[in-house]
Amino acid sequence: MQTIAAVRTSPFPSSGVDSRLPGDDLGTLDRLGTVVTLRREQPLFREGDRADFYFKVISGALRTCKLLADGRRHVGEFFLPGDFIGLTATSDYIFAAEAVSETVVVRYSRRSVDALALQEPRLGRRLFAIACESLSVAQHQMVLLGRKTAEERIASFVLDMAERGGDGDGITLPMTRTDIGDHLGLTMETVSRAFAQLKREGVIELKSTHNIVIRDRDALADLADAG
Amino acid sequence: MQTIAAVRTSPFPSSGVDSRLPGDDLGTLDRLGTVVTLRREQPLFREGDRADFYFKVISGALRTCKLLADGRRHVGEFFLPGDFIGLTATSDYIFAAEAVSETVVVRYSRRSVDALALQEPRLGRRLFAIACESLSVAQHQMVLLGRKTAEERIASFVLDMAERGGDGDGITLPMTRTDIGDHLGLTMETVSRAFAQLKREGVIELKSTHNIVIRDRDALADLADAG
DNA sequence: CGCCCCGTTGAGGGAGCTCAAAACGAGTGG
DNA sequence: CCACTCGTTTTGAGCTCCCTCAACGGGGCG
């Protein structure tokens, strides 16, 4: 079942979006795209939906969620402008995707893209590279979840967000403390305390709850790698 | 730098190995393979080595490891007969791979396989599928590491091992309790206590430390999904 | 202005970690 | 066949980090 969302069928917008993604390499793909706008908290798809589409984030932010039977939640990844989402080994999505804030994505028909990939080796290799990069991200996240302390997790998260979306040392965190906690295997309270701790240590500055500045990148990197 | 290991350049052995892997679909790949034998604890490659090869496990078992600066260890995945290992987004491996027990693998030149994949769409799609499946495994593991209790982690692990390598309900665990702990984000002692707990509850039977039998698969599945 | 959601802070408790010792099992040599 | 060794696993006891529960504060929006 496809989730309801504002859809505008139109040519690919000439957004200032980067990198990392097939649309940029291969003009042919652009024509397959449909622009979709999501309001805050609106689902892009749900766990178990048929995986008929790939998506690329244009603006805003998405999170992927998995729930345990008793309600415990895990946030797999945050997707920022330029990020590609929708690869799956099965015919269904195995997690939900929701908008953290108002978000615009481009939607591609999976069947069309997969068919095109057989004719355009460059597209095929790009999709393969995206899968390998996602795997690398997941492998780092597993080390974090398996072995790092709360403060180290937050340090890693801040550095990651800085690399992906920061303007210099200023970082915008569109998601809530609860989202961050569910992503890092912590509670909201522990996330809050770890931010406070890093602030006390002079490593970061809290401009507001969703805007932070890195003060000591080396200290942050040391914490993130645990030595 | 390539790790030293017993290498036998020869045609692909007619092993009774499954499934899941390119070698089986595409005869051409078999000729590219070189058989490599590893003794217990011997590294197949180290973190940071140039990623010049893909591998397929024939017999035995591998583990992938990442270390934090202060020595904390994380075991990413165990690889059993039929499993494919070596996909990476970069030119280097980002984790080490070591033999849990005496292990035989087939080694493929990454360059040759990648080149062949451009000519043989089926091979390209197979590699892509392997990457997507690995991603799916990683996503499940992140939920486990982020949100499950010790007992739930062990239940999930036992079920996973039963599906992958079990003969009926009898399971062989070639790795140590420490390996299991480092894979599940626990200590060896907690792993041992969780096994004892499941035994006390009549869910599993411990034939020996490395051989267990599932007594109540439904109870195990309930625990693994937490509800 | 007042409500509500989100974030912060505090106090107490618990799941899993640490440290330590004993039990076990596989391999080795007499 | 037994004695000994060495690494692994089990079990116990105490501690710690993070979770839980609760109260308070602040910013955005009706």
Side-chain angles (χ1 to χ4, degrees), chain B residues 16 20 22 42 49 57 63 69 79 95 101 104 108 115 123 131 133 143 162 171 184 189 209:
Chain B
R20 292 187 58 176
Q42 194 177 354
D49 280 0
V57 178
R63 63 170 177 257
F79 292 81
F95 46 73
S101 54
V104 178
Y108 304 98
L123 175 58
E133 282 157 22
V143 175
I171 304 162
L184 301 178
E189 293 92 332
T209 54

Short mmCIF file of all heavy atoms in Angstrom, two decimals, chain B residues 16 20 22 42 49 57 63 69 79 95 101 104 108 115 123 131 133 143 162 171 184 189 209:
data_model
loop_
_atom_site.label_atom_id
_atom_site.label_comp_id
_atom_site.label_asym_id
_atom_site.label_seq_id
_atom_site.Cartn_x
_atom_site.Cartn_y
_atom_site.Cartn_z
N GLY B 16 30.32 -29.70 -1.91
CA GLY B 16 28.87 -29.76 -1.77
C GLY B 16 28.28 -28.47 -1.25
O GLY B 16 27.33 -28.48 -0.50
N ARG B 20 23.33 -19.04 -2.58
CA ARG B 20 23.65 -17.62 -2.35
C ARG B 20 24.79 -17.02 -3.16
O ARG B 20 25.11 -15.86 -2.96
CB ARG B 20 23.99 -17.41 -0.86
CG ARG B 20 22.83 -17.59 0.08
CD ARG B 20 23.18 -17.22 1.48
NE ARG B 20 23.65 -15.84 1.60
CZ ARG B 20 23.94 -15.26 2.74
NH1 ARG B 20 23.80 -15.91 3.86
NH2 ARG B 20 24.35 -14.02 2.78
N PRO B 22 27.81 -16.30 -6.41
CA PRO B 22 27.99 -16.16 -7.85
C PRO B 22 28.59 -17.39 -8.48
O PRO B 22 28.22 -17.75 -9.58
CB PRO B 22 28.94 -14.96 -8.00
CG PRO B 22 29.35 -14.55 -6.65
CD PRO B 22 28.60 -15.34 -5.65
N GLN B 42 43.93 -17.72 12.09
CA GLN B 42 44.76 -17.08 11.07
C GLN B 42 43.96 -16.02 10.32
O GLN B 42 42.80 -16.25 9.97
CB GLN B 42 45.25 -18.16 10.09
CG GLN B 42 46.39 -17.68 9.19
CD GLN B 42 46.91 -18.78 8.30
OE1 GLN B 42 46.50 -19.94 8.42
NE2 GLN B 42 47.79 -18.43 7.39
N ASP B 49 44.12 -3.39 4.79
CA ASP B 49 44.72 -4.05 3.62
C ASP B 49 44.02 -3.59 2.35
O ASP B 49 42.82 -3.28 2.38
CB ASP B 49 44.55 -5.58 3.72
CG ASP B 49 45.57 -6.23 4.63
OD1 ASP B 49 46.41 -5.51 5.21
OD2 ASP B 49 45.52 -7.46 4.79
N VAL B 57 33.34 -18.69 1.34
CA VAL B 57 33.70 -19.72 2.31
C VAL B 57 33.24 -21.09 1.80
O VAL B 57 32.09 -21.24 1.37
CB VAL B 57 33.05 -19.44 3.69
CG1 VAL B 57 33.41 -20.55 4.68
CG2 VAL B 57 33.49 -18.08 4.22
N ARG B 63 35.31 -14.79 11.02
CA ARG B 63 34.67 -13.66 11.70
C ARG B 63 35.32 -12.40 11.18
O ARG B 63 36.50 -12.39 10.82
CB ARG B 63 34.85 -13.76 13.21
CG ARG B 63 36.28 -13.71 13.65
CD ARG B 63 36.48 -13.56 15.15
NE ARG B 63 37.89 -13.59 15.45
CZ ARG B 63 38.55 -14.65 15.96
NH1 ARG B 63 37.89 -15.75 16.28
NH2 ARG B 63 39.84 -14.58 16.17
N ALA B 69 40.47 2.06 19.52
CA ALA B 69 41.86 2.39 19.85
C ALA B 69 42.30 1.76 21.17
O ALA B 69 43.46 1.38 21.34
CB ALA B 69 42.04 3.90 19.90
N PHE B 79 30.96 -15.73 9.06
CA PHE B 79 30.76 -16.23 7.71
C PHE B 79 30.88 -17.74 7.70
O PHE B 79 31.89 -18.28 8.15
CB PHE B 79 31.76 -15.59 6.75
CG PHE B 79 31.53 -14.13 6.55
CD1 PHE B 79 31.98 -13.20 7.48
CD2 PHE B 79 30.80 -13.67 5.47
CE1 PHE B 79 31.73 -11.84 7.32
CE2 PHE B 79 30.55 -12.32 5.29
CZ PHE B 79 31.01 -11.40 6.22
N PHE B 95 37.63 -3.74 7.82
CA PHE B 95 37.66 -4.61 8.98
C PHE B 95 38.58 -5.79 8.67
O PHE B 95 38.93 -6.01 7.50
CB PHE B 95 36.26 -5.12 9.34
CG PHE B 95 35.47 -5.60 8.18
CD1 PHE B 95 35.77 -6.81 7.55
CD2 PHE B 95 34.40 -4.86 7.68
CE1 PHE B 95 35.05 -7.26 6.47
CE2 PHE B 95 33.67 -5.30 6.58
CZ PHE B 95 33.98 -6.50 5.98
N SER B 101 37.83 -21.32 12.98
CA SER B 101 38.36 -22.68 13.03
C SER B 101 39.05 -22.91 11.70
O SER B 101 39.08 -22.03 10.85
CB SER B 101 37.21 -23.68 13.22
OG SER B 101 36.24 -23.48 12.21
N VAL B 104 38.43 -23.18 4.79
CA VAL B 104 38.81 -23.16 3.37
C VAL B 104 37.94 -22.13 2.66
O VAL B 104 36.72 -22.13 2.83
CB VAL B 104 38.61 -24.54 2.72
CG1 VAL B 104 38.96 -24.49 1.23
CG2 VAL B 104 39.45 -25.60 3.43
N TYR B 108 38.83 -14.77 -5.20
CA TYR B 108 38.63 -14.26 -6.55
C TYR B 108 39.29 -12.90 -6.68
O TYR B 108 39.18 -12.07 -5.77
CB TYR B 108 37.14 -14.07 -6.85
CG TYR B 108 36.30 -15.31 -6.66
CD1 TYR B 108 35.59 -15.51 -5.49
CD2 TYR B 108 36.23 -16.26 -7.67
CE1 TYR B 108 34.81 -16.64 -5.32
CE2 TYR B 108 35.45 -17.40 -7.51
CZ TYR B 108 34.74 -17.58 -6.33
OH TYR B 108 33.97 -18.70 -6.18
N ALA B 115 35.31 -6.63 -13.60
CA ALA B 115 35.32 -6.49 -15.07
C ALA B 115 34.31 -7.44 -15.70
O ALA B 115 33.55 -7.06 -16.58
CB ALA B 115 36.73 -6.77 -15.60
N LEU B 123 25.82 -11.64 -13.31
CA LEU B 123 26.80 -11.56 -12.23
C LEU B 123 26.71 -10.22 -11.51
O LEU B 123 26.74 -10.16 -10.28
CB LEU B 123 28.22 -11.77 -12.79
CG LEU B 123 29.36 -11.60 -11.79
CD1 LEU B 123 29.19 -12.57 -10.62
CD2 LEU B 123 30.70 -11.80 -12.47
N ALA B 131 25.03 -7.51 -1.82
CA ALA B 131 25.20 -6.27 -1.05
C ALA B 131 23.91 -5.91 -0.33
O ALA B 131 23.92 -5.54 0.85
CB ALA B 131 25.65 -5.14 -1.97
N GLU B 133 21.48 -7.92 0.56
CA GLU B 133 21.21 -8.89 1.62
C GLU B 133 22.09 -8.61 2.84
O GLU B 133 21.63 -8.68 3.99
CB GLU B 133 21.45 -10.32 1.11
CG GLU B 133 20.31 -10.84 0.26
CD GLU B 133 20.73 -11.96 -0.68
OE1 GLU B 133 21.75 -12.63 -0.41
OE2 GLU B 133 20.04 -12.16 -1.72
N VAL B 143 19.23 -3.27 15.19
CA VAL B 143 18.11 -3.30 16.13
C VAL B 143 18.49 -4.11 17.36
O VAL B 143 18.25 -3.70 18.51
CB VAL B 143 16.85 -3.90 15.48
CG1 VAL B 143 15.73 -4.03 16.51
CG2 VAL B 143 16.39 -3.06 14.31
N ALA B 162 20.81 -21.36 13.65
CA ALA B 162 20.02 -22.54 13.29
C ALA B 162 19.59 -22.47 11.83
O ALA B 162 19.66 -23.46 11.09
CB ALA B 162 18.81 -22.67 14.20
N ILE B 171 22.65 -27.46 16.59
CA ILE B 171 23.44 -26.35 16.08
C ILE B 171 24.87 -26.48 16.58
O ILE B 171 25.10 -26.72 17.76
CB ILE B 171 22.87 -25.01 16.56
CG1 ILE B 171 21.41 -24.88 16.15
CG2 ILE B 171 23.68 -23.85 16.00
CD1 ILE B 171 20.67 -23.83 16.93
N LEU B 184 27.63 -9.59 19.77
CA LEU B 184 26.31 -9.16 20.26
C LEU B 184 26.36 -7.97 21.21
O LEU B 184 25.34 -7.57 21.77
CB LEU B 184 25.62 -10.34 20.98
CG LEU B 184 25.40 -11.61 20.15
CD1 LEU B 184 24.75 -12.69 20.99
CD2 LEU B 184 24.53 -11.31 18.91
N GLU B 189 30.94 -13.31 29.94
CA GLU B 189 30.21 -13.78 31.12
C GLU B 189 28.70 -13.64 30.93
O GLU B 189 27.94 -14.55 31.29
CB GLU B 189 30.63 -12.98 32.36
CG GLU B 189 32.05 -13.20 32.82
CD GLU B 189 33.01 -12.19 32.20
OE1 GLU B 189 32.73 -11.71 31.08
OE2 GLU B 189 34.03 -11.88 32.84
N THR B 209 29.63 -27.24 25.06
CA THR B 209 29.71 -25.78 24.96
C THR B 209 29.51 -25.29 23.52
O THR B 209 29.04 -24.18 23.31
CB THR B 209 31.07 -25.26 25.47
OG1 THR B 209 32.11 -25.94 24.77
CG2 THR B 209 31.21 -25.49 26.95
#
